[in-house]
Amino acid sequence: MGLMLEGVYRPEDPAPGSADDGSFQRAKSTVRNWIAPSDNRSKLGRGRYHLYAAWNCPWAHRVLLVRAVKGLSAEIGVSYALPRRTEDGWVYDDDPAFGVRALHEVYARIRPGYTGRVTVPLLWDMAEDRGVSNESADLVRMLDAAFPDRGPNLAPAALVADIDAWNKDIYAGLNNGVYRAGFARTQDAYEAGCRDVFATLNRIEDRLSASPYLCGDTLTEADLRLFPTLARFDVAYHGAFKCNIRRLVDYPATWAYARRIYALPEVADTVRFDVYKAGYYSPSPQRNPLGIVPLGPEIDWSLPADVAPDTVRLADA
């Protein structure tokens, strides 16, 4: 993914680091500012913020989902990276914000001598010419709060404790768990990650067997943080990351839930199954040395879910 060291971009092996026991270690986000304060929102609106994303990145997908369900496409522009990284990391054919070719050119604007990984998502404040954040969890919550009059309230006060509990559980066991399995360097590390993935999916299945969404009958932030992993599960994680004890389609309640979210307005436009396969099956000395991309599986996400989207309540803004 590349690294900036004292303002200079350096290509590096795309395989992530691992601990002495072979387990995957995710790097921490390095840009952790917040959106403009309420007393500086006179310029909040069309073109104020710009998002650097990649179709195959699940962390960027979270932010694209918030943008979609809250109807913020006019307010937040997006630059979409090409499916596969190059020696320049994430690269762009068309960047309407700064006209850059590579994402590290944007990171160089953050501050002189910037040091850190060059990752998506990255939200840029065009009015103040500053990087806001490259932490997806922060971006999901701040964008929801910054546009309270647009779309559903994704973190109603009465549900925040439940949302936070699900976020914590799902991140550790599933969102990051698939990477702990896929990037493991030892058998024990792989098995630990893989077993956590399916233990978490079992808990999710139990919950969704009794409720249309994780926190009841209301779509929340927790659902939008879970959905990107589900969308990639059968086409990528099941094969490329060896998370193959079961498939998403083997969980009746969770599979119906995933299709329910997919059917919500504008959500399908954030999904690119072909790009997921091309990205996760890209050439890798450890996982896929020949870079062969499988033809399958063929899965119909348009099948009706057990509850129609228009019968499920969205929280009021």
Side-chain angles (χ1 to χ4, degrees):
M1 65 181 63
L3 184 71
M4 297 285 286
L5 291 175
E6 298 182 352
V8 178
Y9 178 75
R10 298 172 184 251
E12 63 174 2
D13 187 333
S18 61
D20 291 341
D21 64 357
S23 62
F24 168 62
Q25 301 291 303
R26 182 171 297 281
K28 293 183 179 180
S29 299
T30 52
V31 184
R32 299 293 295 272
N33 302 310
W34 209 254
I35 211 161
S38 58
D39 60 355
N40 191 28
R41 290 203 186 145
S42 60
K43 299 179 182 179
L44 187 64
R46 187 181 298 269
R48 171 67 185 267
Y49 297 101
H50 193 82
L51 179 67
Y52 285 88
W55 286 115
N56 47 335
C57 174
W59 316 105
H61 194 180
R62 296 173 165 188
V63 188
L64 292 172
L65 286 165
V66 174
R67 178 178 178 263
V69 301
K70 290 185 74 73
L72 299 176
S73 59
E75 286 78 6
I76 303 174
V78 183
S79 294
Y80 295 100
L82 297 178
R84 290 185 174 180
R85 291 191 293 263
T86 70
E87 286 191 354
D88 272 327
W90 292 116
V91 295
Y92 297 82
D93 269 346
D94 179 25
D95 169 35
F98 298 116
V100 301
R101 169 64 178 168
L103 183 59
H104 66 76
E105 298 174 65
V106 182
Y107 271 79
R109 301 173 64 98
I110 292 174
R111 57 180 174 268
Y114 172 81
T115 292
R117 290 183 180 271
V118 179
T119 61
V120 291
L122 173 67
L123 185 70
W124 198 270
D125 185 328
M126 302 299 291
E128 297 185 357
D129 193 23
R130 70 184 182 108
V132 178
S133 180
N134 65 354
E135 171 49 60
S136 64
D138 290 353
L139 288 169
V140 167
R141 187 154 293 186
M142 76 173 74
L143 289 175
D144 180 44
F147 295 90
D149 57 337
R150 300 294 301 274
N153 178 359
L154 297 173
L159 296 178
V160 166
D162 199 19
I163 291 169
D164 288 345
W166 275 113
N167 285 345
K168 182 178 179 180
D169 186 25
I170 290 169
Y171 170 79
L174 186 57
N175 297 149
N176 197 49
V178 292
Y179 288 90
R180 290 169 49 221
F183 290 145
R185 300 297 183 93
T186 67
Q187 183 70 30
D188 287 346
Y190 157 71
E191 290 189 11
C194 189
R195 292 187 191 284
D196 281 350
V197 164
F198 289 96
T200 306
L201 281 171
N202 289 342
R203 291 193 293 275
I204 291 169
E205 178 72 5
D206 287 344
R207 174 59 174 167
L208 296 175
S209 295
S211 173
Y213 287 131
L214 288 172
C215 297
D217 64 355
T218 298
L219 178 78
T220 70
E221 167 192 307
D223 301 297
L224 300 189
R225 288 178 51 158
L226 170 59
F227 180 79
T229 302
L230 300 184
R232 289 158 176 77
F233 202 88
D234 286 1
V235 298
Y237 300 141
H238 183 270
F241 282 7
K242 302 181 180 68
C243 294
N244 57 8
I245 295 175
R246 282 178 293 279
R247 303 164 300 166
L248 172 63
V249 297
D250 295 325
Y251 290 90
T254 307
W255 173 222
Y257 158 88
R259 301 198 313 277
R260 190 176 312 128
I261 295 176
Y262 183 79
L264 293 172
E266 298 190 43
V267 167
D269 291 338
T270 72
V271 176
R272 294 289 188 278
F273 297 116
D274 58 335
V275 173
Y276 303 160
K277 285 201 292 187
Y280 285 97
Y281 284 97
S282 60
S284 165
Q286 290 79 30
R287 297 184 311 281
N288 192 20
L290 298 179
I292 296 173
V293 179
L295 292 176
E298 294 182 357
I299 301 171
D300 187 357
W301 278 73
S302 68
L303 291 171
D306 57 347
V307 178
D310 60 0
T311 68
V312 180
R313 182 175 62 85
L314 299 181
D316 296 332

